[in-house]
Amino acid sequence: MLNKTRIKVRGYHLDLFQHVNNARYLEFIEEGRWAFFDEFFDQEDWMQQDFVWPVVNININFKSEANFGDLLEVQTRYTKIGNRSITMKQTIINVKNNDLVVEADVTYVCFSKAAKAAIPFPDDLREKVQQSITNNI
């Protein structure tokens, strides 16, 4: 599954150089992940479970700048599942010129609120994620 979320660059996203501040890209990719989760999970069921999904690593590469008024598309998909962790690939594309703006790999873990520890993925979730990864190849 590939989710595409569009964000228009606003004035409050800009830094002193009049392009998107690097910290804002973390917010943009987070918005992309939440939109992905909206499609991937049943919200009622997901929020009632014992699991939470803390981010444990983000590797981000800035490829080109985005400016006021640009329309950006955040593309989000699963790329790898481990025993307790999942990695997503997120890219931000400038819709106007199709330039790659950002590439990021985001890893998070399946964390049990009750156990207060990372836990192995439940089999049904692992199967759903693996199917999503396979369909993206």
Side-chain angles (χ1 to χ4, degrees), residues 5-129:
T5 303
R6 291 196 169 184
I7 297 172
K8 185 172 182 176
V9 175
R10 306 291 183 185
Y12 64 90
H13 296 137
L14 306 180
D15 62 16
L16 294 174
F17 300 105
Q18 297 301 300
H19 60 261
V20 174
N21 181 281
N22 61 13
R24 292 294 183 167
Y25 290 113
L26 293 172
E27 295 172 350
F28 294 171
I29 63 174
E30 183 172 18
E31 178 64 30
R33 286 193 306 279
W34 279 101
F36 179 94
F37 296 147
D38 284 346
E39 286 187 33
F40 194 78
F41 293 105
D42 178 302
Q43 284 185 339
E44 289 291 319
D45 186 43
W46 186 48
M47 296 306 283
Q48 299 300 320
Q49 294 184 12
D50 176 49
F51 313 121
V52 292
W53 306 95
V55 170
V56 295
N57 185 274
I58 297 179
N59 291 312
I60 189 166
N61 294 305
F62 303 99
K63 299 295 191 175
S64 63
E65 69 181 48
N67 297 289
F68 179 75
D70 286 347
L71 183 61
L72 305 179
E73 182 174 271
V74 182
Q75 300 175 353
T76 304
R77 70 187 193 292
Y78 286 129
T79 55
K80 179 180 164 187
I81 185 167
N83 186 41
R84 297 177 176 163
S85 67
I86 289 181
T87 300
M88 295 183 126
K89 171 65 85 179
Q90 293 190 272
T91 55
I92 300 177
I93 306 294
N94 188 325
V95 173
K96 176 175 59 178
N97 54 21
N98 212 32
D99 282 351
L100 176 62
V101 177
V102 165
E103 286 182 311
D105 293 305
V106 181
T107 303
Y108 51 95
V109 297
C110 183
F111 191 88
S112 166
K113 295 183 282 187
K116 294 187 178 13
I119 60 170
F121 285 99
D123 290 339
D124 60 332
L125 180 58
R126 174 177 296 286
E127 186 176 307
K128 186 175 181 180
V129 170

